[in-house]
Amino acid sequence: MNILQINTHDLDGGAGKLTYQLHRHLQDLGHTSKIVAATKTSRDVDVYGIVKRPGLNSIKKRLENQMSLQYLLRCFPFQALDQEPLQSADVINLHDIIGGYFNYLALPKLSATIPTCWSLHNMWAFTGHCSYSFGCD
């Protein structure tokens, strides 16, 4: 089975470490496992970093903040739906999709195309974009 995991990091943070451990374990079991990470720090050839265009991110971030459109101007994963490694995935496992790289409006199209599960490592998905609800308004 071809399994693709998507996370903010490939090695950093709790979700990043868990994502990478799961990736290695799946490979040990004989599956094809790949990771797409917003920030790639490993040298693993099965981990793909998202290409960021300099300068454009600051403009997008300012617009998103002014208009309360958090991450809605981001291109990933829309730009990658017809590219590797998304195209060859049998299953997608989302981890942390926070961090300014993932446009969550792509979830319906992504999950309609490829079976998708989302591992919730924090409360971001149901708090209105706060990782944890402590003092979050």
Side-chain angles (χ1 to χ4, degrees), residues 31-82:
H31 297 288
T32 300
S33 176
K34 296 177 183 172
I35 298 173
V36 171
T39 304
K40 176 185 176 178
T41 54
S42 71
R43 294 180 185 217
D44 192 320
V45 296
D46 291 322
V47 177
Y48 300 81
I50 296 173
V51 177
K52 299 172 186 151
R53 290 186 267 173
L56 199 54
N57 286 339
S58 62
I59 295 168
K60 283 183 181 180
K61 190 170 189 171
R62 195 171 335 128
L63 277 171
E64 288 172 341
N65 289 339
Q66 288 175 352
M67 301 174 74
S68 297
L69 300 173
Q70 191 177 33
Y71 310 147
L72 296 183
L73 301 176
R74 308 303 161 133
C75 296
F76 185 81
F78 288 115
Q79 69 190 22
L81 287 172
D82 60 347

mmCIF file of all heavy atoms in Angstrom, residues 31-82:
data_model
loop_
_atom_site.group_PDB
_atom_site.id
_atom_site.type_symbol
_atom_site.label_atom_id
_atom_site.label_comp_id
_atom_site.label_asym_id
_atom_site.label_seq_id
_atom_site.Cartn_x
_atom_site.Cartn_y
_atom_site.Cartn_z
ATOM 1 N N HIS A 31 5.308 -1.485 3.393
ATOM 2 C CA HIS A 31 4.494 -0.508 2.673
ATOM 3 C C HIS A 31 5.387 0.570 2.067
ATOM 4 O O HIS A 31 6.503 0.793 2.516
ATOM 5 C CB HIS A 31 3.487 0.153 3.618
ATOM 6 C CG HIS A 31 2.505 -0.800 4.203
ATOM 7 N ND1 HIS A 31 1.487 -1.361 3.482
ATOM 8 C CD2 HIS A 31 2.401 -1.307 5.454
ATOM 9 C CE1 HIS A 31 0.784 -2.167 4.252
ATOM 10 N NE2 HIS A 31 1.324 -2.158 5.458
ATOM 11 N N THR A 32 4.873 1.246 1.067
ATOM 12 C CA THR A 32 5.541 2.427 0.536
ATOM 13 C C THR A 32 5.008 3.614 1.325
ATOM 14 O O THR A 32 3.813 3.876 1.323
ATOM 15 C CB THR A 32 5.241 2.610 -0.964
ATOM 16 O OG1 THR A 32 5.702 1.461 -1.659
ATOM 17 C CG2 THR A 32 5.918 3.852 -1.510
ATOM 18 N N SER A 33 5.891 4.300 2.010
ATOM 19 C CA SER A 33 5.489 5.434 2.830
ATOM 20 C C SER A 33 6.290 6.658 2.419
ATOM 21 O O SER A 33 7.506 6.584 2.222
ATOM 22 C CB SER A 33 5.728 5.129 4.309
ATOM 23 O OG SER A 33 5.423 6.261 5.098
ATOM 24 N N LYS A 34 5.578 7.775 2.279
ATOM 25 C CA LYS A 34 6.212 9.053 1.957
ATOM 26 C C LYS A 34 5.621 10.122 2.859
ATOM 27 O O LYS A 34 4.499 9.988 3.335
ATOM 28 C CB LYS A 34 5.990 9.412 0.492
ATOM 29 C CG LYS A 34 6.637 8.421 -0.457
ATOM 30 C CD LYS A 34 6.356 8.754 -1.898
ATOM 31 C CE LYS A 34 6.982 7.684 -2.788
ATOM 32 N NZ LYS A 34 6.609 7.832 -4.172
ATOM 33 N N ILE A 35 6.393 11.169 3.071
ATOM 34 C CA ILE A 35 5.937 12.308 3.869
ATOM 35 C C ILE A 35 6.069 13.572 3.032
ATOM 36 O O ILE A 35 7.077 13.771 2.359
ATOM 37 C CB ILE A 35 6.785 12.474 5.155
ATOM 38 C CG1 ILE A 35 6.657 11.255 6.070
ATOM 39 C CG2 ILE A 35 6.393 13.747 5.905
ATOM 40 C CD1 ILE A 35 7.591 11.291 7.270
ATOM 41 N N VAL A 36 5.062 14.419 3.092
ATOM 42 C CA VAL A 36 5.169 15.780 2.578
ATOM 43 C C VAL A 36 5.148 16.677 3.803
ATOM 44 O O VAL A 36 4.223 16.620 4.609
ATOM 45 C CB VAL A 36 4.016 16.141 1.622
ATOM 46 C CG1 VAL A 36 4.049 17.619 1.285
ATOM 47 C CG2 VAL A 36 4.085 15.316 0.352
ATOM 48 N N ALA A 37 6.204 17.474 3.958
ATOM 49 C CA ALA A 37 6.333 18.352 5.122
ATOM 50 C C ALA A 37 6.539 19.790 4.672
ATOM 51 O O ALA A 37 7.254 20.043 3.700
ATOM 52 C CB ALA A 37 7.519 17.905 5.981
ATOM 53 N N ALA A 38 5.904 20.704 5.373
ATOM 54 C CA ALA A 38 6.115 22.118 5.067
ATOM 55 C C ALA A 38 7.566 22.493 5.303
ATOM 56 O O ALA A 38 8.138 23.289 4.566
ATOM 57 C CB ALA A 38 5.196 22.988 5.916
ATOM 58 N N THR A 39 8.169 21.896 6.334
ATOM 59 C CA THR A 39 9.581 22.124 6.631
ATOM 60 C C THR A 39 10.275 20.780 6.725
ATOM 61 O O THR A 39 10.012 20.008 7.644
ATOM 62 C CB THR A 39 9.753 22.892 7.958
ATOM 63 O OG1 THR A 39 9.020 24.110 7.878
ATOM 64 C CG2 THR A 39 11.211 23.189 8.225
ATOM 65 N N LYS A 40 11.150 20.494 5.770
ATOM 66 C CA LYS A 40 11.899 19.237 5.746
ATOM 67 C C LYS A 40 13.277 19.463 6.344
ATOM 68 O O LYS A 40 14.005 20.348 5.918
ATOM 69 C CB LYS A 40 12.038 18.731 4.314
ATOM 70 C CG LYS A 40 12.883 17.476 4.212
ATOM 71 C CD LYS A 40 13.123 17.042 2.783
ATOM 72 C CE LYS A 40 14.062 15.846 2.801
ATOM 73 N NZ LYS A 40 14.330 15.320 1.501
ATOM 74 N N THR A 41 13.634 18.625 7.331
ATOM 75 C CA THR A 41 14.974 18.705 7.911
ATOM 76 C C THR A 41 15.743 17.403 7.753
ATOM 77 O O THR A 41 16.956 17.398 7.881
ATOM 78 C CB THR A 41 14.917 19.086 9.403
ATOM 79 O OG1 THR A 41 14.064 18.182 10.088
ATOM 80 C CG2 THR A 41 14.408 20.500 9.588
ATOM 81 N N SER A 42 15.067 16.309 7.470
ATOM 82 C CA SER A 42 15.756 15.029 7.314
ATOM 83 C C SER A 42 16.371 14.926 5.919
ATOM 84 O O SER A 42 16.052 15.714 5.031
ATOM 85 C CB SER A 42 14.783 13.866 7.522
ATOM 86 O OG SER A 42 13.885 13.778 6.435
ATOM 87 N N ARG A 43 17.223 13.938 5.744
ATOM 88 C CA ARG A 43 17.809 13.664 4.435
ATOM 89 C C ARG A 43 17.123 12.488 3.756
ATOM 90 O O ARG A 43 17.597 11.992 2.741
ATOM 91 C CB ARG A 43 19.292 13.373 4.584
ATOM 92 C CG ARG A 43 20.057 14.577 5.056
ATOM 93 C CD ARG A 43 21.516 14.257 5.192
ATOM 94 N NE ARG A 43 22.197 15.397 5.749
ATOM 95 C CZ ARG A 43 23.404 15.752 5.385
ATOM 96 N NH1 ARG A 43 24.077 15.056 4.504
ATOM 97 N NH2 ARG A 43 23.966 16.801 5.926
ATOM 98 N N ASP A 44 16.030 12.056 4.323
ATOM 99 C CA ASP A 44 15.273 10.922 3.806
ATOM 100 C C ASP A 44 14.738 11.244 2.412
ATOM 101 O O ASP A 44 14.082 12.267 2.213
ATOM 102 C CB ASP A 44 14.117 10.624 4.763
ATOM 103 C CG ASP A 44 13.436 9.305 4.504
ATOM 104 O OD1 ASP A 44 13.248 8.949 3.318
ATOM 105 O OD2 ASP A 44 13.065 8.626 5.475
ATOM 106 N N VAL A 45 15.013 10.363 1.438
ATOM 107 C CA VAL A 45 14.583 10.614 0.057
ATOM 108 C C VAL A 45 13.075 10.454 -0.107
ATOM 109 O O VAL A 45 12.517 10.902 -1.109
ATOM 110 C CB VAL A 45 15.319 9.695 -0.949
ATOM 111 C CG1 VAL A 45 16.804 9.992 -0.967
ATOM 112 C CG2 VAL A 45 15.055 8.228 -0.652
ATOM 113 N N ASP A 46 12.409 9.836 0.868
ATOM 114 C CA ASP A 46 10.963 9.667 0.816
ATOM 115 C C ASP A 46 10.220 10.769 1.562
ATOM 116 O O ASP A 46 9.028 10.662 1.809
ATOM 117 C CB ASP A 46 10.574 8.294 1.386
ATOM 118 C CG ASP A 46 11.011 7.158 0.480
ATOM 119 O OD1 ASP A 46 10.934 7.312 -0.758
ATOM 120 O OD2 ASP A 46 11.440 6.113 1.004
ATOM 121 N N VAL A 47 10.939 11.827 1.924
ATOM 122 C CA VAL A 47 10.332 13.001 2.541
ATOM 123 C C VAL A 47 10.472 14.161 1.564
ATOM 124 O O VAL A 47 11.558 14.449 1.073
ATOM 125 C CB VAL A 47 10.999 13.357 3.890
ATOM 126 C CG1 VAL A 47 10.401 14.632 4.462
ATOM 127 C CG2 VAL A 47 10.843 12.203 4.879
ATOM 128 N N TYR A 48 9.351 14.804 1.266
ATOM 129 C CA TYR A 48 9.322 15.896 0.300
ATOM 130 C C TYR A 48 8.989 17.193 1.028
ATOM 131 O O TYR A 48 8.036 17.257 1.790
ATOM 132 C CB TYR A 48 8.254 15.639 -0.768
ATOM 133 C CG TYR A 48 8.482 14.375 -1.539
ATOM 134 C CD1 TYR A 48 8.098 13.143 -1.032
ATOM 135 C CD2 TYR A 48 9.100 14.405 -2.780
ATOM 136 C CE1 TYR A 48 8.315 11.969 -1.731
ATOM 137 C CE2 TYR A 48 9.316 13.235 -3.502
ATOM 138 C CZ TYR A 48 8.926 12.022 -2.965
ATOM 139 O OH TYR A 48 9.145 10.870 -3.659
ATOM 140 N N GLY A 49 9.773 18.222 0.794
ATOM 141 C CA GLY A 49 9.493 19.536 1.354
ATOM 142 C C GLY A 49 8.651 20.335 0.380
ATOM 143 O O GLY A 49 8.728 20.150 -0.832
ATOM 144 N N ILE A 50 7.829 21.207 0.906
ATOM 145 C CA ILE A 50 6.993 22.058 0.065
ATOM 146 C C ILE A 50 7.809 23.256 -0.380
ATOM 147 O O ILE A 50 8.424 23.935 0.439
ATOM 148 C CB ILE A 50 5.740 22.514 0.828
ATOM 149 C CG1 ILE A 50 4.879 21.292 1.154
ATOM 150 C CG2 ILE A 50 4.947 23.531 0.013
ATOM 151 C CD1 ILE A 50 3.699 21.600 2.040
ATOM 152 N N VAL A 51 7.823 23.504 -1.666
ATOM 153 C CA VAL A 51 8.568 24.639 -2.218
ATOM 154 C C VAL A 51 7.813 25.922 -1.891
ATOM 155 O O VAL A 51 6.629 26.052 -2.188
ATOM 156 C CB VAL A 51 8.740 24.490 -3.753
ATOM 157 C CG1 VAL A 51 9.446 25.692 -4.320
ATOM 158 C CG2 VAL A 51 9.479 23.207 -4.075
ATOM 159 N N LYS A 52 8.510 26.853 -1.268
ATOM 160 C CA LYS A 52 7.911 28.130 -0.901
ATOM 161 C C LYS A 52 8.513 29.230 -1.755
ATOM 162 O O LYS A 52 9.706 29.258 -1.978
ATOM 163 C CB LYS A 52 8.154 28.416 0.578
ATOM 164 C CG LYS A 52 7.538 27.386 1.478
ATOM 165 C CD LYS A 52 7.969 27.605 2.910
ATOM 166 C CE LYS A 52 7.459 26.461 3.750
ATOM 167 N NZ LYS A 52 8.271 26.179 4.890
ATOM 168 N N ARG A 53 7.662 30.128 -2.230
ATOM 169 C CA ARG A 53 8.151 31.258 -3.009
ATOM 170 C C ARG A 53 8.409 32.443 -2.083
ATOM 171 O O ARG A 53 7.493 32.912 -1.421
ATOM 172 C CB ARG A 53 7.122 31.644 -4.074
ATOM 173 C CG ARG A 53 7.026 30.614 -5.168
ATOM 174 C CD ARG A 53 6.125 31.104 -6.251
ATOM 175 N NE ARG A 53 4.784 30.591 -5.963
ATOM 176 C CZ ARG A 53 3.717 30.928 -6.637
ATOM 177 N NH1 ARG A 53 3.788 31.776 -7.616
ATOM 178 N NH2 ARG A 53 2.555 30.417 -6.327
ATOM 179 N N PRO A 54 9.666 32.911 -2.009
ATOM 180 C CA PRO A 54 9.974 34.020 -1.100
ATOM 181 C C PRO A 54 9.238 35.293 -1.488
ATOM 182 O O PRO A 54 8.992 35.546 -2.652
ATOM 183 C CB PRO A 54 11.489 34.183 -1.248
ATOM 184 C CG PRO A 54 11.857 33.498 -2.503
ATOM 185 C CD PRO A 54 10.794 32.477 -2.790
ATOM 186 N N GLY A 55 8.880 36.077 -0.478
ATOM 187 C CA GLY A 55 8.208 37.354 -0.712
ATOM 188 C C GLY A 55 6.705 37.203 -0.782
ATOM 189 O O GLY A 55 5.972 37.994 -0.227
ATOM 190 N N LEU A 56 6.221 36.191 -1.463
ATOM 191 C CA LEU A 56 4.798 35.999 -1.630
ATOM 192 C C LEU A 56 4.132 35.637 -0.306
ATOM 193 O O LEU A 56 3.019 36.035 -0.030
ATOM 194 C CB LEU A 56 4.548 34.897 -2.665
ATOM 195 C CG LEU A 56 3.178 34.837 -3.304
ATOM 196 C CD1 LEU A 56 2.826 36.179 -3.918
ATOM 197 C CD2 LEU A 56 3.146 33.761 -4.357
ATOM 198 N N ASN A 57 4.843 34.903 0.552
ATOM 199 C CA ASN A 57 4.263 34.483 1.822
ATOM 200 C C ASN A 57 3.930 35.665 2.725
ATOM 201 O O ASN A 57 2.915 35.656 3.392
ATOM 202 C CB ASN A 57 5.189 33.505 2.547
ATOM 203 C CG ASN A 57 5.164 32.134 1.904
ATOM 204 O OD1 ASN A 57 4.224 31.802 1.211
ATOM 205 N ND2 ASN A 57 6.192 31.359 2.136
ATOM 206 N N SER A 58 4.776 36.706 2.752
ATOM 207 C CA SER A 58 4.502 37.846 3.621
ATOM 208 C C SER A 58 3.276 38.622 3.140
ATOM 209 O O SER A 58 2.486 39.106 3.940
ATOM 210 C CB SER A 58 5.718 38.770 3.704
ATOM 211 O OG SER A 58 6.023 39.295 2.432
ATOM 212 N N ILE A 59 3.097 38.726 1.839
ATOM 213 C CA ILE A 59 1.922 39.398 1.282
ATOM 214 C C ILE A 59 0.668 38.596 1.625
ATOM 215 O O ILE A 59 -0.331 39.153 2.081
ATOM 216 C CB ILE A 59 2.059 39.566 -0.246
ATOM 217 C CG1 ILE A 59 3.216 40.506 -0.562
ATOM 218 C CG2 ILE A 59 0.760 40.076 -0.854
ATOM 219 C CD1 ILE A 59 3.612 40.514 -2.032
ATOM 220 N N LYS A 60 0.720 37.282 1.414
ATOM 221 C CA LYS A 60 -0.428 36.433 1.728
ATOM 222 C C LYS A 60 -0.772 36.496 3.210
ATOM 223 O O LYS A 60 -1.937 36.597 3.577
ATOM 224 C CB LYS A 60 -0.142 34.988 1.339
ATOM 225 C CG LYS A 60 -0.242 34.713 -0.130
ATOM 226 C CD LYS A 60 -0.003 33.242 -0.393
ATOM 227 C CE LYS A 60 -0.083 32.947 -1.869
ATOM 228 N NZ LYS A 60 0.133 31.530 -2.155
ATOM 229 N N LYS A 61 0.247 36.448 4.041
ATOM 230 C CA LYS A 61 0.011 36.452 5.482
ATOM 231 C C LYS A 61 -0.659 37.754 5.913
ATOM 232 O O LYS A 61 -1.587 37.752 6.718
ATOM 233 C CB LYS A 61 1.323 36.247 6.234
ATOM 234 C CG LYS A 61 1.149 35.991 7.695
ATOM 235 C CD LYS A 61 2.457 35.568 8.317
ATOM 236 C CE LYS A 61 2.203 35.104 9.738
ATOM 237 N NZ LYS A 61 3.349 34.490 10.335
ATOM 238 N N ARG A 62 -0.201 38.873 5.371
ATOM 239 C CA ARG A 62 -0.795 40.165 5.717
ATOM 240 C C ARG A 62 -2.261 40.221 5.283
ATOM 241 O O ARG A 62 -3.132 40.647 6.039
ATOM 242 C CB ARG A 62 0.001 41.300 5.065
ATOM 243 C CG ARG A 62 -0.326 42.644 5.667
ATOM 244 C CD ARG A 62 0.591 43.770 5.209
ATOM 245 N NE ARG A 62 1.904 43.356 4.764
ATOM 246 C CZ ARG A 62 2.444 43.711 3.591
ATOM 247 N NH1 ARG A 62 1.792 44.492 2.770
ATOM 248 N NH2 ARG A 62 3.640 43.300 3.255
ATOM 249 N N LEU A 63 -2.555 39.767 4.060
ATOM 250 C CA LEU A 63 -3.936 39.743 3.579
ATOM 251 C C LEU A 63 -4.814 38.829 4.423
ATOM 252 O O LEU A 63 -5.937 39.183 4.779
ATOM 253 C CB LEU A 63 -3.985 39.272 2.118
ATOM 254 C CG LEU A 63 -3.721 40.308 1.056
ATOM 255 C CD1 LEU A 63 -3.588 39.649 -0.309
ATOM 256 C CD2 LEU A 63 -4.835 41.334 1.030
ATOM 257 N N GLU A 64 -4.293 37.654 4.728
ATOM 258 C CA GLU A 64 -5.058 36.712 5.534
ATOM 259 C C GLU A 64 -5.377 37.276 6.909
ATOM 260 O O GLU A 64 -6.502 37.152 7.396
ATOM 261 C CB GLU A 64 -4.282 35.394 5.683
ATOM 262 C CG GLU A 64 -4.238 34.591 4.414
ATOM 263 C CD GLU A 64 -3.312 33.394 4.507
ATOM 264 O OE1 GLU A 64 -2.434 33.351 5.387
ATOM 265 O OE2 GLU A 64 -3.479 32.493 3.681
ATOM 266 N N ASN A 65 -4.397 37.918 7.543
ATOM 267 C CA ASN A 65 -4.612 38.487 8.866
ATOM 268 C C ASN A 65 -5.595 39.650 8.831
ATOM 269 O O ASN A 65 -6.463 39.760 9.691
ATOM 270 C CB ASN A 65 -3.287 38.941 9.485
ATOM 271 C CG ASN A 65 -2.422 37.773 9.883
ATOM 272 O OD1 ASN A 65 -2.904 36.666 10.068
ATOM 273 N ND2 ASN A 65 -1.131 38.015 10.008
ATOM 274 N N GLN A 66 -5.479 40.508 7.833
ATOM 275 C CA GLN A 66 -6.359 41.668 7.735
ATOM 276 C C GLN A 66 -7.794 41.261 7.429
ATOM 277 O O GLN A 66 -8.733 41.899 7.857
ATOM 278 C CB GLN A 66 -5.853 42.639 6.678
ATOM 279 C CG GLN A 66 -4.602 43.379 7.087
ATOM 280 C CD GLN A 66 -4.048 44.254 5.966
ATOM 281 O OE1 GLN A 66 -4.507 44.200 4.837
ATOM 282 N NE2 GLN A 66 -3.053 45.062 6.294
ATOM 283 N N MET A 67 -7.953 40.195 6.670
ATOM 284 C CA MET A 67 -9.289 39.776 6.239
ATOM 285 C C MET A 67 -9.805 38.547 6.994
ATOM 286 O O MET A 67 -10.843 38.005 6.652
ATOM 287 C CB MET A 67 -9.271 39.507 4.735
ATOM 288 C CG MET A 67 -8.859 40.715 3.919
ATOM 289 S SD MET A 67 -8.675 40.350 2.180
ATOM 290 C CE MET A 67 -10.381 40.198 1.709
ATOM 291 N N SER A 68 -9.061 38.090 8.009
ATOM 292 C CA SER A 68 -9.425 36.896 8.787
ATOM 293 C C SER A 68 -9.639 35.680 7.890
ATOM 294 O O SER A 68 -10.606 34.942 8.034
ATOM 295 C CB SER A 68 -10.669 37.164 9.627
ATOM 296 O OG SER A 68 -10.421 38.174 10.568
ATOM 297 N N LEU A 69 -8.754 35.487 6.954
ATOM 298 C CA LEU A 69 -8.819 34.358 6.023
ATOM 299 C C LEU A 69 -7.640 33.429 6.258
ATOM 300 O O LEU A 69 -6.837 33.186 5.365
ATOM 301 C CB LEU A 69 -8.801 34.854 4.569
ATOM 302 C CG LEU A 69 -9.925 35.777 4.162
ATOM 303 C CD1 LEU A 69 -9.671 36.328 2.761
ATOM 304 C CD2 LEU A 69 -11.253 35.047 4.213
ATOM 305 N N GLN A 70 -7.520 32.902 7.465
ATOM 306 C CA GLN A 70 -6.348 32.114 7.827
ATOM 307 C C GLN A 70 -6.140 30.942 6.873
ATOM 308 O O GLN A 70 -6.992 30.070 6.747
ATOM 309 C CB GLN A 70 -6.494 31.602 9.256
ATOM 310 C CG GLN A 70 -5.229 31.006 9.785
ATOM 311 C CD GLN A 70 -5.376 30.570 11.225
ATOM 312 O OE1 GLN A 70 -6.430 30.147 11.655
ATOM 313 N NE2 GLN A 70 -4.290 30.675 11.972
ATOM 314 N N TYR A 71 -5.012 30.945 6.181
ATOM 315 C CA TYR A 71 -4.529 29.895 5.278
ATOM 316 C C TYR A 71 -5.347 29.755 3.991
ATOM 317 O O TYR A 71 -5.079 28.873 3.199
ATOM 318 C CB TYR A 71 -4.462 28.528 5.963
ATOM 319 C CG TYR A 71 -3.751 28.516 7.285
ATOM 320 C CD1 TYR A 71 -4.148 27.671 8.287
ATOM 321 C CD2 TYR A 71 -2.682 29.360 7.534
ATOM 322 C CE1 TYR A 71 -3.498 27.651 9.515
ATOM 323 C CE2 TYR A 71 -2.022 29.345 8.756
ATOM 324 C CZ TYR A 71 -2.448 28.493 9.741
ATOM 325 O OH TYR A 71 -1.803 28.474 10.936
ATOM 326 N N LEU A 72 -6.327 30.594 3.756
ATOM 327 C CA LEU A 72 -7.180 30.416 2.583
ATOM 328 C C LEU A 72 -6.513 30.835 1.280
ATOM 329 O O LEU A 72 -6.990 30.498 0.212
ATOM 330 C CB LEU A 72 -8.499 31.166 2.758
ATOM 331 C CG LEU A 72 -9.380 30.661 3.896
ATOM 332 C CD1 LEU A 72 -10.691 31.417 3.924
ATOM 333 C CD2 LEU A 72 -9.638 29.170 3.790
ATOM 334 N N LEU A 73 -5.405 31.554 1.359
ATOM 335 C CA LEU A 73 -4.704 31.958 0.149
ATOM 336 C C LEU A 73 -3.523 31.040 -0.156
ATOM 337 O O LEU A 73 -2.762 31.306 -1.070
ATOM 338 C CB LEU A 73 -4.232 33.409 0.274
ATOM 339 C CG LEU A 73 -5.343 34.438 0.499
ATOM 340 C CD1 LEU A 73 -4.764 35.823 0.707
ATOM 341 C CD2 LEU A 73 -6.326 34.435 -0.651
ATOM 342 N N ARG A 74 -3.370 29.977 0.583
ATOM 343 C CA ARG A 74 -2.268 29.026 0.367
ATOM 344 C C ARG A 74 -2.611 28.087 -0.781
ATOM 345 O O ARG A 74 -3.763 27.726 -0.977
ATOM 346 C CB ARG A 74 -1.996 28.213 1.637
ATOM 347 C CG ARG A 74 -1.787 29.073 2.876
ATOM 348 C CD ARG A 74 -0.654 30.063 2.658
ATOM 349 N NE ARG A 74 -0.746 31.152 3.616
ATOM 350 C CZ ARG A 74 0.259 31.601 4.309
ATOM 351 N NH1 ARG A 74 1.444 31.080 4.170
ATOM 352 N NH2 ARG A 74 0.094 32.598 5.145
ATOM 353 N N CYS A 75 -1.606 27.691 -1.527
ATOM 354 C CA CYS A 75 -1.814 26.861 -2.720
ATOM 355 C C CYS A 75 -1.776 25.371 -2.438
ATOM 356 O O CYS A 75 -2.326 24.585 -3.189
ATOM 357 C CB CYS A 75 -0.759 27.183 -3.767
ATOM 358 S SG CYS A 75 -0.867 28.866 -4.370
ATOM 359 N N PHE A 76 -1.090 24.949 -1.369
ATOM 360 C CA PHE A 76 -0.992 23.523 -1.087
ATOM 361 C C PHE A 76 -2.227 23.068 -0.325
ATOM 362 O O PHE A 76 -2.655 23.742 0.593
ATOM 363 C CB PHE A 76 0.268 23.224 -0.251
ATOM 364 C CG PHE A 76 0.490 21.760 -0.031
ATOM 365 C CD1 PHE A 76 1.078 20.991 -1.008
ATOM 366 C CD2 PHE A 76 0.063 21.147 1.135
ATOM 367 C CE1 PHE A 76 1.262 19.635 -0.828
ATOM 368 C CE2 PHE A 76 0.243 19.798 1.330
ATOM 369 C CZ PHE A 76 0.840 19.038 0.349
ATOM 370 N N PRO A 77 -2.821 21.960 -0.661
ATOM 371 C CA PRO A 77 -2.434 20.937 -1.621
ATOM 372 C C PRO A 77 -3.042 21.076 -3.001
ATOM 373 O O PRO A 77 -2.857 20.209 -3.840
ATOM 374 C CB PRO A 77 -2.909 19.655 -0.948
ATOM 375 C CG PRO A 77 -4.131 20.050 -0.219
ATOM 376 C CD PRO A 77 -3.877 21.464 0.242
ATOM 377 N N PHE A 78 -3.792 22.164 -3.270
ATOM 378 C CA PHE A 78 -4.383 22.319 -4.605
ATOM 379 C C PHE A 78 -3.345 22.153 -5.708
ATOM 380 O O PHE A 78 -3.581 21.485 -6.701
ATOM 381 C CB PHE A 78 -5.058 23.693 -4.754
ATOM 382 C CG PHE A 78 -6.334 23.834 -3.992
ATOM 383 C CD1 PHE A 78 -6.438 24.721 -2.947
ATOM 384 C CD2 PHE A 78 -7.446 23.079 -4.330
ATOM 385 C CE1 PHE A 78 -7.620 24.866 -2.237
ATOM 386 C CE2 PHE A 78 -8.637 23.209 -3.633
ATOM 387 C CZ PHE A 78 -8.729 24.107 -2.587
ATOM 388 N N GLN A 79 -2.169 22.782 -5.542
ATOM 389 C CA GLN A 79 -1.130 22.750 -6.563
ATOM 390 C C GLN A 79 -0.527 21.369 -6.757
ATOM 391 O O GLN A 79 0.103 21.098 -7.766
ATOM 392 C CB GLN A 79 -0.019 23.729 -6.202
ATOM 393 C CG GLN A 79 0.770 23.262 -4.984
ATOM 394 C CD GLN A 79 1.712 24.301 -4.438
ATOM 395 O OE1 GLN A 79 1.534 25.479 -4.666
ATOM 396 N NE2 GLN A 79 2.703 23.856 -3.699
ATOM 397 N N ALA A 80 -0.714 20.472 -5.793
ATOM 398 C CA ALA A 80 -0.027 19.177 -5.826
ATOM 399 C C ALA A 80 -0.952 17.992 -6.091
ATOM 400 O O ALA A 80 -0.498 16.855 -6.089
ATOM 401 C CB ALA A 80 0.700 18.965 -4.510
ATOM 402 N N LEU A 81 -2.230 18.229 -6.332
ATOM 403 C CA LEU A 81 -3.166 17.116 -6.492
ATOM 404 C C LEU A 81 -2.824 16.206 -7.662
ATOM 405 O O LEU A 81 -3.096 15.012 -7.616
ATOM 406 C CB LEU A 81 -4.598 17.643 -6.645
ATOM 407 C CG LEU A 81 -5.230 18.183 -5.365
ATOM 408 C CD1 LEU A 81 -6.558 18.847 -5.664
ATOM 409 C CD2 LEU A 81 -5.393 17.092 -4.324
ATOM 410 N N ASP A 82 -2.240 16.736 -8.701
ATOM 411 C CA ASP A 82 -1.907 15.912 -9.868
ATOM 412 C C ASP A 82 -0.410 15.613 -9.954
ATOM 413 O O ASP A 82 0.091 15.229 -10.997
ATOM 414 C CB ASP A 82 -2.385 16.593 -11.146
ATOM 415 C CG ASP A 82 -1.753 17.961 -11.371
ATOM 416 O OD1 ASP A 82 -1.140 18.504 -10.428
ATOM 417 O OD2 ASP A 82 -1.865 18.471 -12.490
#
